[in-house]
């Protein structure tokens, strides 16, 4: 029977501590592939903790791909050690501190705001509820800066962004994601689209880039606009297929492993090590990790980043504040491996930072004074309640007999599979006729022949309870 000490757990909850203990034993090889873990009841009794504590720890390990369950047989250790030599693996560093990426994917095909007004309910919108933006705190911080920091507001920032904001982001990454990076590795930019362009210049126009299929179409448009070779990599249940990366001679792959858009797949730890192994084979290979809505995992702990297990400096981490603050806040950042930081300043230092000092200092103060953490917690509760409200609308209506929900525990969208003979096109046309905008998963495939049918992408972040009820009733009529 496994035995762990619960002394000195710091700020970790009991289940977080247990999860880390088991995870580290798996990474170190103390628990081998296929080894059966204790039952929840016996494990809890042996450790002197509650069954729910063990259950939560096991749930987090399953979410990250360290273990798997077989009904009526138990929990078993996944196969991860055949991917990389053990010496290249290391447990995530313990961190007892307190506890983002691509801008929120908008599936509206035209950027015309007037067009969206024709729809009473929009399941493709990424707009932020104005009532949940911290206007009073934000305005107070701006007034304080204008009063007390006039001189520094007028000094041109370094090309990577003001140091104060980069230090704030570095602390946030450590506290929330367990990432240990220096402020110098962080580059601030006005939106992730701008940062993608910077990365292309840094990594090279001669490289072959790739994105996930299905995926967010705007990324491909950005790469194509820079006239670089861009291809599409098919996915399976664990994420992108490594074999296709090899077959297509990809140099740089853009992925969202913690919550893939639009499928919602969380890449398991085995595939993550396999991907790192692919990148380690050739010096020019890199992985762009897009962590666009990692703060909104609604069940369990945030999924550890790919960058946190990268020991060979192959991962470029990228995130944005458009999800956590507002879709109109154009502040994003990337974390470069240390050797690329030197290359960035040697090659691209002539660029000016594209985010104003006023915004950078305000955001730094917002983070440093604890407002950002409180704001995220408030939003997480808000979106958790909103998701539950929509799921309850579906469950309590005849629609529940025709649909299956998948991926509802992370991010601000989920998938709804419909049992119907109607085509995706007809479903969406009938929905539009009733004033509802929604997009099928099939529209996000570059290769249509690979598309999965009868699955809708449901973004609920901007919906009201009235709109949820209206939409549920409309889909009952569509499928009747």
């Amino acid at each position: 029977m496994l035995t762990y000490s619960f002394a000195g757990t710091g700020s970790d909850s009991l289940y977080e501590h247990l999860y880390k203990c088991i995870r580290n034993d798996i990474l170190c090889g103390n628990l081998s592939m296929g080894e059966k873990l204790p039952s929840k009841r016996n494990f809890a009794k042996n450790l002197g903790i509650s069954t729910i504590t063990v259950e939560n720890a096991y749930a987090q390990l399953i979410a990250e791909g360290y273990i798997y369950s077989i009904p009526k047989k138990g929990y078993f250790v996944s196969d991860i050690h055949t991917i990389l030599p053990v010496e290249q693996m290391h447990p995530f560093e313990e961190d007892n501190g307190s506890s983002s990426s691509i801008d929120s994917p908008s599936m509206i095909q035209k950027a015309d705001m007037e067009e969206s007004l024709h729809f009473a309910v929009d399941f493709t919108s990424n707009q932020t509820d104005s009532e949940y933006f911290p206007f009073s705190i934000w305005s107070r911080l701006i007034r304080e800066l204008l009063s007390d920091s006039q001189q520094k507001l007028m000094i041109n920032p370094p090309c990577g962004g003001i140091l104060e904001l980069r230090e704030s982001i570095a602390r946030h990454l450590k506290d929330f994601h367990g990432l240990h990076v220096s402020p110098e590795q962080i580059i601030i930019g006005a939106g992730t689209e701008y940062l993608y362009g910077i990365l292309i210049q840094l990594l090279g126009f001669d490289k072959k880039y790739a994105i996930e299929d299905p995926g967010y179409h705007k990324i491909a448009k950005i790469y194509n606009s820079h006239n670089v070779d861009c291809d599409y990599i098919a996915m399976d249940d664990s994420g992108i297929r490594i074999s296709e990366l090899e077959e297509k001679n990809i140099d740089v792959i853009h992925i969202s492993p913690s919550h893939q858009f639009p499928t919602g797949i969380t890449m398991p730890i085995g595939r993550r090590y396999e991907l790192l192994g692919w990148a380690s084979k050739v010096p020019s290979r890199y992985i762009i990790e897009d962590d666009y809505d990692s703060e909104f995992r609604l069940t369990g702990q945030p999924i550890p980043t790919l960058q946190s297990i990268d020991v060979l400096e192959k991962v470029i981490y990228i995130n944005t504040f458009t999800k956590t603050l507002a879709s109109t806040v154009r502040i994003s950042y990337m974390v470069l491996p240390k050797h690329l930081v030197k290359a960035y300043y040697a090659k691209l230092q002539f660029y000016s930072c594209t985010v104003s000092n006023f915004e950078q200092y305000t955001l730094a103060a917002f983070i440093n004074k604890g407002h950002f953490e409180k704001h995220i917690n408030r939003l997480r509760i808000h979106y958790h309640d909103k998701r539950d409200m929509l799921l309850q609308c579906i469950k309590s209506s005849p629609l529940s007999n025709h649909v299956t929900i998948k991926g509802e525990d992370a991010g601000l969208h989920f998938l709804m599979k419909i049992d119907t003979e109607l085509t995706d096109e007809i479903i969406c046309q009938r929905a539009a006729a009733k004033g509802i905008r929604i997009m099928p998963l099939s529209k996000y495939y570059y290769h249509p022949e690979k598309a999965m049918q009868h699955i809708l992408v449901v973004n609920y972040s901007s919906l009201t309870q009235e709109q949820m009820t209206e939409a549920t009733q409309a889909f009952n009529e569509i499928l009747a």
Side-chain angles (χ1 to χ4, degrees):
M1 177 71 72
L2 292 174
T3 300
Y4 299 113
S5 171
F6 284 81
T9 60
S11 61
D12 284 346
S13 65
L14 293 181
Y15 98 83
E16 288 173 329
H17 178 72
L18 178 59
Y19 144 77
K20 290 179 179 179
C21 289
I22 299 173
R23 178 193 62 188
N24 289 348
D25 271 351
I26 294 173
L27 289 171
C28 292
N30 296 330
L31 291 172
S32 56
M33 178 194 72
E35 185 170 344
K36 184 176 182 180
L37 296 176
S39 69
K40 292 180 290 186
R41 187 183 300 276
N42 290 338
F43 204 9
K45 183 177 180 180
N46 181 62
L47 296 176
I49 57 179
S50 68
T51 303
I52 193 66
T53 297
V54 178
E55 183 175 336
N56 287 338
Y58 278 0
Q60 186 71 19
L61 291 164
I62 289 174
E64 296 178 24
Y66 287 100
I67 68 174
Y68 60 93
S69 65
I70 299 178
K72 299 182 180 180
K73 291 188 177 181
Y75 298 87
F76 301 85
V77 177
S78 299
D79 180 7
I80 69 171
H81 290 86
T82 57
I83 308 305
L84 285 177
V86 173
E87 59 266 27
Q88 289 191 14
M89 299 183 182
H90 63 95
F92 303 111
E93 293 191 29
E94 296 294 336
D95 178 20
N96 292 327
S98 60
S99 90
S100 178
S101 135
I102 193 166
D103 296 328
S104 174
S106 172
M107 294 168 277
I108 303 175
Q109 296 302 299
K110 297 180 181 179
D112 187 349
M113 198 64 186
E114 291 183 358
E115 181 183 353
S116 65
L117 295 177
H118 294 310
F119 293 88
V121 182
D122 191 349
F123 285 104
T124 71
S125 174
N126 69 338
Q127 296 298 303
T128 306
D129 290 342
S130 60
E131 63 181 294
Y132 282 91
F133 184 83
F135 284 107
S136 60
I137 297 174
W138 198 261
S139 60
R140 173 164 54 81
L141 293 174
I142 291 177
R143 289 195 300 271
E144 291 174 359
L145 283 168
L146 291 174
S147 175
D148 304 332
S149 306
Q150 296 176 0
Q151 185 174 357
K152 69 178 183 181
L153 286 173
M154 304 308 293
I155 298 174
N156 291 333
C159 64
I162 64 169
L163 181 60
E164 188 173 333
L165 177 56
R166 289 186 286 167
E167 289 175 338
S168 301
I169 292 174
R171 284 192 294 271
H172 169 70
L173 289 175
K174 178 179 179 294
D175 292 342
F176 193 86
H177 296 284
L179 292 182
H180 296 269
V181 301
S182 67
E184 290 73 25
Q185 291 177 256
I186 298 172
I187 307 298
I188 308 295
T192 50
E193 292 93 339
Y194 166 78
L195 294 178
Y196 296 152
I198 290 293
L199 282 177
I200 292 170
Q201 294 179 66
L202 178 62
L203 300 179
F205 288 87
D206 59 334
K207 301 297 186 294
K208 188 172 184 180
Y209 297 79
I211 62 175
E212 300 158 316
D213 185 26
Y216 183 39
H217 291 168
K218 192 173 185 179
I219 303 172
K221 292 180 180 178
I222 293 169
Y223 286 131
N224 291 332
S225 71
H226 286 81
N227 296 315
V228 296
D229 192 0
C230 181
D231 210 330
Y232 301 79
I233 305 299
M235 300 178 63
D236 57 25
D237 291 341
S238 296
I240 59 167
R241 295 175 177 172
I242 308 302
S243 59
E244 282 201 24
L245 293 174
E246 297 282 6
E247 292 167 5
K248 296 184 176 181
N249 296 315
I250 303 301
D251 295 299
V252 182
I253 177 64
H254 185 294
I255 61 171
S256 47
S258 293
H259 187 235
Q260 199 273 340
F261 182 85
T263 66
I265 290 173
T266 296
M267 184 180 289
I269 190 66
R271 181 63 57 86
R272 292 179 184 226
Y273 277 125
E274 191 177 359
L275 184 58
L276 290 172
W278 164 83
S280 69
K281 294 178 182 178
V282 179
S284 63
R285 289 178 177 175
Y286 287 97
I287 303 162
I288 299 175
E289 178 181 16
D290 199 327
D291 211 20
Y292 71 96
D293 67 352
S294 57
E295 282 83 2
F296 298 118
R297 181 169 177 80
L298 303 181
T299 300
Q301 289 295 299
I303 300 296
T305 65
L306 185 62
Q307 199 270 359
S308 66
I309 59 173
D310 173 28
V311 297
L312 299 176
E313 297 193 352
K314 286 293 184 178
V315 178
I316 299 165
Y317 179 88
I318 194 165
N319 211 327
T320 184
F321 289 95
T322 60
K323 272 287 190 182
T324 49
L325 286 177
S327 55
T328 54
V329 174
R330 308 301 301 170
I331 305 178
S332 300
Y333 62 93
M334 60 182 175
V335 180
L336 297 175
K338 292 179 180 179
H339 70 279
L340 283 182
V341 173
K342 297 177 181 178
Y344 170 80
Y345 283 105
K347 189 176 182 179
L348 301 171
Q349 193 170 12
F350 64 89
Y351 275 108
S352 298
C353 183
T354 51
V355 181
S356 75
N357 276 14
F358 292 80
E359 292 176 291
Q360 290 192 65
Y361 280 114
T362 303
L363 179 55
F366 189 73
I367 297 173
N368 291 338
K369 296 185 178 182
H371 300 304
F372 186 52
E373 182 179 354
K374 293 177 182 178
H375 177 66
I376 290 176
N377 290 336
R378 181 179 179 227
L379 280 183
R380 193 181 291 115
I381 294 171
H382 168 64
Y383 288 129
H384 190 288
D385 291 343
K386 183 169 286 194
R387 180 208 63 180
D388 289 350
M389 192 183 303
L390 178 55
L391 292 178
Q392 183 58 38
C393 281
I394 296 172
K395 182 179 179 180
S396 59
S397 78
L399 184 61
S400 61
N401 298 322
H402 302 279
V403 303
T404 302
I405 305 299
K406 181 180 179 182
E408 68 273 24
D409 289 334
L412 302 182
H413 78 276
F414 57 75
L415 301 183
M416 185 168 72
K417 181 174 176 58
I418 302 177
D419 181 14
T420 179
E421 297 297 323
L422 300 176
T423 66
D424 287 354
E425 184 177 3
I426 291 177
I427 293 172
C428 293
Q429 286 177 351
R430 291 185 178 181
K434 292 180 176 293
I436 299 171
R437 170 174 287 179
I438 197 163
M439 194 73 74
L441 180 63
S442 57
K443 289 294 185 182
Y444 291 93
Y445 281 84
Y446 177 75
H447 298 288
E449 69 277 7
K450 299 179 181 179
M452 292 184 285
Q453 301 293 312
H454 304 142
I455 300 177
L456 300 179
V457 181
V458 181
N459 185 332
Y460 55 85
S461 62
S462 64
L463 301 185
T464 64
Q465 183 174 9
E466 182 179 357
Q467 289 173 322
M468 294 177 188
T469 302
E470 180 181 344
T472 302
Q473 178 59 38
F475 273 102
N476 282 326
E477 296 171 0
I478 291 171
L479 299 176

